[in-house]
Amino acid sequence: MLPDGNEVEMHSFPTVQQMSKLTEQRLREMGFGYRAKYIVGTVVSLPEARGSSLAMGRDAQAERLKAAASSAHQQMLSEQGGTEHLTRLRSMPRPEVKSQLLEYPGVGPKVADCVALFCLDQTDCIPGTSPFPKQEQEREQEQERVQEQE
C-alpha cells in the first residue's frame, strides 16, 4: 500500500533462469519490440542461463546472438560469473562500469548510463543524449585520468 492509501500490485524482477525460458518472439508479444533480441542475447551470455532451453538452442535467434557475442565478453562472464559480476559493478568506478555494460548486446552509452544510475548505484551518472558526443567522451576520459591520479 502506498502512503496515499492506494494499493499497487508489485512484481519482483525475473531471475536469469526465468528470463532464459523466454524466446524473442514471446518478448515481442509482451511489448519489448526491437529490444527483445538484445534481451535474449544478453541472457544467453550469462553463465546462469546455461542448461536452459534457450541456451540449449531451442531458439535459433538466441544461438545466433550468442555466437555473435564477443569472445572476450563471453570469457569475462565465464571467469567472473554473470550475476556476481553484475553485482560487483556497483563498487567499480563509473567509467569501468560503463565500459563493462557496453559489452552486452544492444547496450549503447545511454542504456549503460541508465543501468548504472538506476540499477548499480552510480548516482553521479546522468543519462542522456549529448549533443556533443565527442566532447562528452573527452570529459569522461579526463575524469578517468583524474581518478587514476588520486
Side-chain angles (χ1 to χ4, degrees):
M1 184 170 296
L2 296 174
D4 64 4
N6 290 320
E7 290 189 27
V8 175
E9 186 176 353
M10 304 288 268
H11 301 276
S12 61
F13 197 82
T15 65
V16 172
Q17 290 78 15
Q18 291 170 322
M19 292 291 295
S20 69
K21 294 175 184 170
L22 297 171
T23 64
E24 180 182 343
Q25 180 59 39
R26 179 66 181 123
L27 288 168
R28 285 182 182 277
E29 291 167 2
M30 295 169 68
F32 285 92
Y34 73 92
R35 295 171 190 87
K37 69 180 177 182
Y38 300 124
I39 294 168
V40 169
T42 295
V43 170
V44 299
S45 73
L46 298 173
E48 292 94 323
R50 291 191 186 121
S52 72
S53 59
L54 239 178
M56 293 176 68
R58 219 175 81 190
D59 187 314
Q61 175 69 16
E63 285 303 308
R64 285 193 297 276
L65 284 165
K66 188 174 182 181
S70 76
S71 60
H73 178 67
Q74 290 291 331
Q75 182 177 352
M76 182 258 319
L77 285 173
S78 293
E79 292 172 359
Q80 298 182 6
T83 303
E84 294 83 12
H85 170 67
L86 294 172
T87 301
R88 280 193 301 272
L89 290 177
R90 284 191 159 125
S91 61
M92 294 180 181
R94 187 171 72 83
E96 189 173 343
V97 169
K98 187 171 184 175
S99 173
Q100 295 284 322
L101 292 172
L102 289 170
E103 292 291 322
Y104 288 94
V107 175
K110 186 174 180 181
V111 169
D113 286 344
C114 288
V115 170
L117 176 63
F118 298 116
C119 303
L120 299 174
D121 306 323
Q122 300 282 324
T123 56
D124 63 334
C125 184
I126 301 171
T129 304
S130 172
F132 308 103
K134 183 178 179 187
Q135 289 81 358
E136 178 68 19
Q137 183 180 20
E138 290 170 356
R139 184 186 65 80
E140 287 181 0
Q141 290 171 346
E142 179 61 27
Q143 286 177 336
E144 287 178 36
R145 283 191 289 273
V146 169
Q147 288 177 349
E148 289 172 0
Q149 293 173 356
E150 291 177 350

